[in-house]
Structures are given as C-alpha cells and as structure tokens.
Amino acid sequence: MEAVIITGMSGAGKTLALNHFEDMGYYCMENLPPKFIVDFVELINNSTKTIEKLAIVIDVRARFFEDLSETIQNLKKMDCELKVLFLDSSNRTLINRYKELRRPHPINPNGSLSDSIELEREMLNDIKDKSDIIIDTTRLSPTGFKNRLNSFFFNGNKRDLVINIESFGFKNGILVEADLVFDVRFLPNPYYIEELKVLNGKNEEIQNYVMSFEDSNAFLNKIVDLLEFLIPKYKAEGKSMLTIGVGCTGGKHRSVCLAEKLFIELKKSHSNVNISHRDERLW
C-alpha cells in the first residue's frame, strides 16, 4: 500500500493537497490521531476491501501530535510504501493568508499570529527534518502547487528519482526548496537589449542570444557532467526527488533559458524530469 502523510505549517496548503490526492484516487483522512494510523493501516491490510493508496493530513491540531515521529517509524517497518510530505511557507505569507480568511491560528486563537507561527515552527522542526519531500508554497498559485504535487507523486515511474528543474529570480528570493542552486547571473543579460527585454527565456530569440556565448555552453556542459555524476549517488542513497534551481536576477531570461536547455539534456537519459519557472507569473 502507498501511504502519504501530509503535514506542515498551518495555512501552507494541506487541505488543498489532500483534495488533490483525493482527486487522484487516494483514500483521504484528516487529523487522525497519530497512534491510530498504525492500527488503521493494519486494519486495511487485514481487510478484504483493500485500499491501495492512502493520504492523511496530520497537523498540530491532532491529539497526541507528538507521537507522529514514532508513528512514522512504525509505518516504515510495515508493508507500507510511506512518504512524508511537509508543506511550508514564509511567515509573511502565512500571516496574509490568515488575514484574508479571517481565521484564528490553531496554536493560540487569542494570541498574535506571529508568535503562534513561530511556536508552530518549533513544534514541527523534528518532523520537517524527517520528511521525504518539502514544498514551499510561498509563491505557488493553486495550479502551480498542484503541478508540483503531480511532479512528485503522479508522473512517470515513481520508483525512479524525480528530478525537478526550476528557474527563479534572486531578486524575488532564493528557491528555498532546492537541493542544488546554479547562479547564471554572470552571463550577458538580454534585459539590456531593447528588442529582447520584453521576451522571456522560452523564446527562440532569447535562447539564441544567451547560448551564443561560449561561457553559456561551457557552463551548461559542466552542470550536466556534475549532475550525471551526482544523480546515481543520490539514487544509491535512496533519495526520491532532486530539486535543481537555476537563478538569474529576475527569473525571466537567462535562468529560464538555461533551465530549458538543462531539461532537454537530462530528459535524454532520465525518465522523471520536470521543469517549471517559479517567477513566470511576474513576466
């Protein structure tokens, strides 16, 4: 049986994630006390009506939340293909979301949002460290969030390493969930060429310009060589996904172009490769 435990910061998107898992055919539950999860999985395994895919949201509202770490360890000992998904977001984004919804924070409904968020972070530190997949939803639209879930859980051969390539702009913040970040700000910037400024890195004109420089091709080749060395090492360690960030100043020209070129190269030898552009909505 496949099982996914969805946890993380309140307001980071756990309900949206659970709804998407349900749409994808998972049997879904919310805030089952952690100690009951093992009993429920055993019940499923002994039942004639099998459930092959299970998704459970667990957050700090659940009773005996402190038992979650032990529950995760017990599930991994059972006949259960378990993944722990942790959803995070910046404090400012969480505060804005709570203000929009006009709802109190579950940690301390009568206290300040900032203090409640910081306390929740402390409570979740251990679980975050033990999570298999971490998604930061700070700058993700609902559609972008679903696409990210699809890349981790619903595309291709899930036994293979999932490789996610994502462009971003440093001026909008670093890609916090990236395992590897490559900075391409040393390359000539099309932004300063009037006829190229309004285009983006997906356009042929931008790609022709950026890749016309020897440094661009040399850098791309070095990244590919490094990744072809690292990817088998990550697989051997049991890593389930690898997020590669490619950043430039604004996340519109150079990073998008290099990310697209890297995507093409890695697709030649790897089955689970996805690409996205974090700051595309700002173009």
Side-chain angles (χ1 to χ4, degrees):
M1 179 181 68
E2 296 178 23
V4 179
I5 290 178
I6 305 168
T7 189
M9 296 296 293
S10 301
K14 293 188 293 295
T15 299
L16 181 59
L18 191 68
N19 290 339
H20 190 56
F21 274 93
E22 187 171 30
D23 291 342
M24 300 303 292
Y26 279 67
Y27 183 88
C28 295
M29 305 180 70
E30 188 168 7
N31 273 333
L32 187 70
K35 281 192 173 182
F36 293 169
I37 296 176
V38 173
D39 295 336
F40 185 70
V41 171
E42 288 179 344
L43 178 64
I44 292 173
N45 290 337
N46 295 327
S47 173
T48 56
K49 295 183 179 180
T50 59
I51 295 175
E52 296 181 353
K53 297 184 291 185
L54 173 67
I56 304 175
V57 163
I58 302 290
D59 61 27
V60 292
R61 294 173 298 165
R63 293 192 177 188
F64 313 110
F65 178 79
E66 64 276 8
D67 297 327
L68 183 55
S69 293
E70 181 181 353
T71 297
I72 290 170
Q73 295 304 314
N74 289 334
L75 287 173
K76 289 184 175 180
K77 296 175 185 177
M78 302 170 63
D79 184 19
C80 179
E81 185 182 334
L82 177 68
K83 287 286 186 293
V84 180
L85 169 63
F86 189 97
L87 302 180
D88 202 352
S89 198
S90 70
N91 285 13
R92 172 52 56 191
T93 299
L94 294 175
I95 289 172
N96 289 340
R97 288 173 182 172
Y98 269 100
K99 286 183 176 179
E100 288 174 4
L101 295 173
R102 298 183 180 181
R103 295 188 62 188
H105 196 281
I107 289 290
N108 184 4
N110 298 317
S112 76
L113 277 174
S114 296
D115 291 344
S116 298
I117 288 169
E118 286 301 329
L119 179 57
E120 185 178 31
R121 285 200 185 280
E122 292 180 18
M123 296 173 64
L124 292 172
N125 274 338
D126 181 58
I127 294 300
K128 184 176 183 179
D129 290 340
K130 294 177 180 178
S131 297
D132 300 292
I133 297 169
I134 300 172
I135 298 178
D136 188 301
T137 66
T138 300
R139 293 180 176 86
L140 290 178
S141 65
T143 299
F145 181 34
K146 290 179 182 179
N147 289 338
R148 189 69 59 83
L149 291 173
N150 288 341
S151 70
F152 290 149
F153 293 97
F154 309 118
N155 284 346
N157 178 9
K158 287 184 284 185
R159 293 184 179 180
D160 198 6
L161 177 69
V162 176
I163 302 171
N164 296 297
I165 303 168
E166 186 163 3
S167 72
F168 69 95
F170 280 97
K171 75 174 186 179
N172 302 314
I174 197 168
L175 188 68
V176 295
E177 65 265 36
D179 299 291
L180 299 169
V181 171
F182 297 101
D183 185 348
V184 299
R185 287 177 291 183
F186 68 94
L187 297 175
N189 193 349
Y191 178 84
Y192 297 107
I193 299 177
E194 193 63 33
E195 62 268 26
L196 298 180
K197 180 178 180 178
V198 297
L199 304 176
N200 64 69
K202 293 182 180 180
N203 292 111
E204 185 177 357
E205 295 92 333
I206 296 294
Q207 295 188 2
N208 289 340
Y209 174 81
V210 173
M211 300 310 296
S212 68
F213 298 96
E214 183 178 342
D215 284 348
S216 302
N217 291 280
F219 189 61
L220 176 63
N221 291 334
K222 289 180 182 296
I223 294 176
V224 172
D225 287 343
L226 175 62
L227 291 173
E228 293 298 356
F229 170 78
L230 289 174
I231 288 170
K233 310 295 183 184
Y234 287 134
K235 288 182 178 180
E237 287 297 316
K239 191 174 180 65
S240 59
M241 64 93 180
L242 174 67
T243 300
I244 303 165
V246 183
C248 66
T249 303
K252 179 178 180 179
H253 297 115
R254 295 165 291 177
S255 62
V256 175
C257 172
L258 267 294
E260 292 283 343
K261 295 296 182 183
L262 182 59
F263 173 72
I264 291 171
E265 291 300 317
L266 292 184
K267 283 289 287 184
K268 294 176 181 178
S269 52
H270 303 281
S271 60
N272 276 359
V273 186
N274 308 288
I275 186 168
S276 60
H277 303 292
R278 188 193 70 183
D279 298 329
E280 186 171 9
R281 61 187 175 82
L282 301 177
W283 298 351

